[in-house]
Amino acid sequence: MIIYLHGFDSTSPGNHEKVLQLQFIDEDVRFVNYSTLHPKHDMQFLLKEVNKLVQESSDTNPLICGVGLGGYWSERIGFLCGIKQVVFNPNLHPEINMQGRIDRPEEYEDIATKCVEKFRTKNAKQCMVVLSREDEIRDNHETADALSDYYDVTWDETQTHKFKKISQHLQAMKAFKNA
């Protein structure tokens, strides 16, 4: 089973395309839609929903995957649910860059203080990171600097922030999922 979390733009047609591409790894792909506007509510909802999906699944190696803001949540929720994560161009600081786009961006800071201390150290090697060199939204060199001590980072030379095409990474994702 693969759980897919969309980024800030939940209605992007690229979400459907990514779900279809993920089905080449596993037929059981679950798209989880969340509000993106209320971080504390989103965290509670995602934690409950992902935990329920993991408990109901017979897959011994479930995976959670997300792009942008979905990558932010995939890393955290995957860690809390004890499953591996794949993140594409994750938004590591929505408390800063979501100002004016969501109701309470400061809730991300509060979430960070309530999460497990040094969770990336405890989550080491459980997350696969794919970063685009052509990301028009974020400086992924900063993201690589923040994550490379904990996770393997792969660079994509052609995709933009929304990562419309992930097929070139599917075999690596499959190997990571089943390892």
Side-chain angles (χ1 to χ4, degrees):
M1 175 181 63
I2 299 175
I3 301 164
Y4 176 76
L5 303 182
H6 60 79
F8 182 68
D9 181 6
S10 64
T11 61
S12 169
N15 289 319
H16 179 67
E17 292 173 19
K18 284 187 270 301
V19 168
L20 292 176
Q21 292 173 62
L22 289 169
Q23 287 177 335
F24 284 102
I25 298 174
D26 191 313
E27 291 178 0
D28 186 11
V29 179
R30 311 290 180 97
F31 180 87
V32 178
N33 192 11
Y34 60 102
S35 78
T36 73
L37 299 177
H38 307 287
K40 282 185 179 180
H41 175 266
D42 290 344
M43 182 160 184
Q44 290 172 343
F45 171 77
L46 288 169
L47 193 54
K48 181 180 174 186
E49 188 67 19
V50 170
N51 190 51
K52 180 179 84 172
L53 292 171
V54 169
Q55 297 305 314
E56 291 173 353
S57 175
S58 61
D59 188 341
T60 56
N61 296 311
L63 183 74
I64 189 167
C65 174
V67 178
L69 188 59
Y72 171 90
W73 287 118
S74 292
E75 181 191 18
R76 281 155 182 77
I77 300 298
F79 167 72
L80 292 171
C81 290
I83 62 174
K84 289 182 179 179
Q85 315 101 47
V86 176
V87 297
F88 292 88
N89 294 337
N91 181 350
L92 298 185
H93 297 287
E95 72 278 7
I96 297 168
N97 55 47
M98 298 302 283
Q99 297 283 335
R101 300 181 82 187
I102 66 173
D103 288 346
R104 295 180 289 274
E106 68 279 359
E107 288 183 1
Y108 284 108
E109 290 180 50
D110 191 46
I111 288 167
T113 64
K114 288 182 172 50
C115 282
V116 175
E117 190 173 327
K118 299 181 182 178
F119 86 94
R120 286 191 177 121
T121 301
K122 295 173 183 168
N123 195 45
K125 304 296 181 194
Q126 295 301 304
C127 184
M128 177 179 161
V129 180
V130 184
L131 301 175
S132 171
R133 292 199 194 275
E134 300 298 322
D135 189 329
E136 73 283 11
I137 306 287
R138 309 256 172 273
D139 179 353
N140 279 331
H141 293 285
E142 290 177 8
T143 304
D145 289 346
L147 299 179
S148 62
D149 287 345
Y150 310 101
Y151 314 132
D152 290 331
V153 174
T154 301
W155 287 95
D156 185 284
E157 303 298 328
T158 60
Q159 294 301 301
T160 59
H161 180 72
K162 288 190 177 187
F163 245 100
K164 186 174 181 179
K165 181 181 169 213
I166 62 171
S167 58
Q168 65 276 28
H169 302 287
L170 292 178
Q171 289 306 313
M173 289 175 66
K174 184 176 184 176
F176 177 72
K177 179 183 185 302
N178 296 323

